[in-house]
Amino acid sequence: QVQLVESGGGLVQAGGSLSLSCAASGRTGSTYVMGWFRQAPGKERELVAAITWGAYFTYYADSVKGRFTISRDNAKNTVYLQMSSLKPGDTATYYCAVGRSQRLNTVDYWGQGTQVTVSS
């Protein structure tokens, strides 16, 4: 079993920045992929960013390219999402995820979610 504990998020004005982090504990396996999804009210959950174990592959949704940066610290089993130039459209609940495919087509574990609200 794997536990994912998220931190960060909150309320920020448009154009501002926020940082999320997610620490994994338990039997994560040796080459897992970590990433972030988000879900806004009335919308489907979407993949925002993902990063492989050695960071040789990263994925970003088109809507966040150039504004968000995903990184990971394998020694700490932690993934980070640095968000800048935030827009009201980025408002959503952000979920940390762990899986085995580069684009997290299948998610093995989910975090509990953290709210990000961007005011205009």
Side-chain angles (χ1 to χ4, degrees):
Q1 190 68 19
V2 173
Q3 294 78 43
L4 303 176
V5 179
E6 300 153 348
S7 60
L11 174 64
V12 66
Q13 288 188 334
S17 299
L18 279 175
S19 181
L20 306 180
S21 63
C22 172
S25 61
R27 300 175 65 86
T28 54
S30 61
T31 57
Y32 58 97
V33 177
M34 300 188 79
W36 294 91
F37 286 75
R38 69 185 181 186
Q39 187 168 22
K43 295 187 177 181
E44 293 187 354
R45 190 172 296 190
E46 63 171 346
L47 177 63
V48 174
I51 185 168
T52 54
W53 171 260
Y56 62 84
F57 176 84
T58 55
Y59 167 85
Y60 293 97
D62 287 342
S63 58
V64 306
K65 283 181 180 177
R67 300 188 298 120
F68 290 12
T69 301
I70 190 170
S71 61
R72 65 189 290 169
D73 183 338
N74 291 334
K76 297 180 179 179
N77 282 345
T78 300
V79 63
Y80 306 94
L81 186 67
Q82 179 64 41
M83 305 181 291
S84 60
S85 301
L86 284 161
K87 306 174 182 179
D90 295 317
T91 296
T93 302
Y94 284 70
Y95 297 90
C96 178
V98 168
R100 286 160 284 172
S101 61
Q102 290 182 341
R103 299 195 178 192
L104 291 171
N105 302 100
T106 301
V107 174
D108 294 325
Y109 301 99
W110 292 98
Q112 78 281 6
T114 185
Q115 180 66 35
V116 172
T117 302
V118 184
S119 63
S120 58

